[in-house]
Amino acid sequence: MINNTLPYKTKQFFFVLIKLSIVVGAFYFIYNKLTNNDNLQFSTFIDFLSKKNVFSTKNIILLLFLSIFNWFFEILKWKTLVSPIKKITFKNALEQSLGALTASLFTPNRIGEYGAKVMYYPTNFRKRVVLINLLSNLLQMTITTVLGVLGFYFLTTTYQVNLDYYKLARICIIGLMILFLVGFGIKKSKLTIKGFSLEKVKRFILEFPRRKIIFGFLFSLVRYLIFSFQFYFLLSLFDINMTYLDAMIIIASMYLLASIIPSIFIFDVVIKGSVALYLFALVEVNELTILSVITIMWLLNFVLPSVFGSFYVLNFNLPQNED
């Protein structure tokens, strides 16, 4: 192995270089997204916030409080789900969650999070860590889907949504057929995920402690309620007069539609912005207001935590193998 033939100091140098590259890459993509956004120029965004003058000290503290609690429950969820294979402290879970966020910020659909989190564990834990991270994301996606479907149902019955239901039905039928064929093909093949067959993946999830899954589900629900309320609170700061229920119908629909569109995570703000513009146009909300709210949500819940996560990336050390 080349790795074993390299001097210790050389390996340490390359290791530090990789960590620096991750942090620099994350900051570059954040900067690039803010300064080269065709939908919302950064100067326009700043001018709009200055004119609105809605961010009092009280409002800023509340928004930061909501972001902190959003990530508090994500970290608590990770600590809970990983505990059946390895007990970790809240500080460990904080380091792993924020460090993985920074490392995955510019990867497609946050796929880099899987690779980043396993690096915090010895090799004999890593396959199970991948599956636990998958389970964590599935729990969050379940909440988004269930509440999103409910929101979308009320959206179509409350507002004049221009949908071609015949075309939509055909797309759904074709989609179901594709899923059936793919599922059938996977079942017949010997497809594996990180060395696990799909049968073993299924068995791992089914045998996973039910109590941990219930807590993970509840933490996912609380997170959803926090960041959706944060979105509603920002709307109210920009003088958008909507009841919480009416706003949640659109917000839940927005998160559902945005989550099913494949995207590079750094452009997640663009995807949500495009979906939100269409949905909030139904209630005649100003485009600049919606784009500003989306950008603020992105800054508070992803950019700000990734800044703190960069500290953990730079201080990361490979773990020792355990029996």
Side-chain angles (χ1 to χ4, degrees), residues 35-306:
T35 56
N36 295 288
N37 188 343
D38 294 334
N39 292 326
L40 180 64
Q41 294 297 320
F42 189 65
S43 57
T44 305
F45 172 63
I46 296 299
D47 289 341
F48 182 66
L49 295 185
S50 299
K51 290 177 182 178
K52 285 292 182 178
N53 193 28
V54 295
F55 291 108
S56 64
T57 302
K58 179 181 177 181
N59 291 336
I60 292 173
I61 290 174
L62 179 56
L63 288 169
L64 289 174
F65 176 83
L66 291 170
S67 293
I68 289 170
F69 266 79
N70 174 23
W71 273 96
F72 171 82
F73 284 103
E74 172 62 20
I75 294 163
L76 195 58
K77 180 174 70 169
W78 179 246
K79 178 180 181 296
T80 301
L81 291 177
V82 84
S83 63
I85 67 165
K86 185 175 176 62
K87 301 292 184 182
I88 62 173
T89 64
F90 185 85
K91 182 181 178 182
N92 295 144
L94 169 68
E95 178 182 351
Q96 293 169 21
S97 298
L98 296 189
L101 171 68
T102 303
S104 66
L105 193 64
F106 47 88
T107 58
N109 295 309
R110 290 187 66 183
I111 194 69
E113 180 186 30
Y114 291 88
K117 277 187 176 176
V118 300
M119 297 305 294
Y120 285 94
Y121 293 86
T123 53
N124 49 318
F125 285 98
R126 290 178 180 176
K127 289 182 179 180
R128 286 171 289 173
V129 171
V130 169
L131 295 178
I132 291 172
N133 197 44
L134 175 63
L135 175 61
S136 176
N137 290 333
L138 285 175
L139 290 174
Q140 196 68 56
M141 187 62 187
T142 300
I143 294 293
T144 301
T145 302
V146 171
L147 296 181
V149 168
L150 286 173
F152 193 72
Y153 169 77
F154 286 111
L155 179 76
T156 56
T157 56
T158 305
Y159 301 101
Q160 296 295 322
V161 182
N162 296 321
L163 292 176
D164 187 336
Y165 290 99
Y166 177 70
K167 184 177 181 180
L168 183 63
R170 284 191 302 170
I171 292 174
C172 289
I173 292 171
I174 293 172
L176 288 173
M177 291 177 63
I178 292 173
L179 286 174
F180 173 78
L181 292 173
V182 170
F184 182 78
I186 289 174
K187 186 176 181 180
K188 293 297 183 182
S189 68
K190 295 182 178 179
L191 183 66
T192 61
I193 299 177
K194 289 289 182 178
F196 281 102
S197 67
L198 287 182
E199 185 60 35
K200 288 184 178 180
V201 172
K202 178 182 175 182
R203 192 184 314 134
F204 180 85
I205 294 176
L206 291 176
E207 294 176 356
F208 201 82
R210 294 279 83 83
R211 187 167 177 269
K212 302 297 183 182
I213 291 180
I214 291 172
F215 274 111
F217 185 83
L218 291 175
F219 293 147
S220 297
L221 176 60
V222 172
R223 281 197 70 215
Y224 188 94
L225 295 176
I226 289 172
F227 62 69
S228 59
F229 174 78
Q230 189 179 41
F231 196 104
Y232 168 74
F233 179 68
L234 282 168
L235 288 174
S236 66
L237 290 183
F238 287 104
D239 299 321
I240 305 301
N241 296 316
M242 297 179 68
T243 66
Y244 178 70
L245 184 59
D246 288 338
M248 277 303 300
I249 289 173
I250 299 179
I251 293 170
S253 301
M254 176 195 72
Y255 280 118
L256 172 67
L257 296 175
S259 65
I260 62 178
I261 300 175
S263 63
I264 296 177
F265 190 57
I266 193 69
F267 298 119
D268 185 58
V269 63
V270 178
I271 299 297
K272 283 190 174 66
S274 301
V275 173
L277 285 179
Y278 171 76
L279 294 178
F280 279 97
L282 300 173
V283 289
E284 300 179 346
V285 177
N286 180 274
E287 288 188 3
L288 186 54
T289 297
I290 295 303
L291 289 173
S292 296
V293 170
I294 291 289
T295 302
I296 294 168
M297 287 287 293
W298 182 66
L299 289 170
L300 287 172
N301 293 299
F302 296 106
V303 173
L304 185 60
S306 70

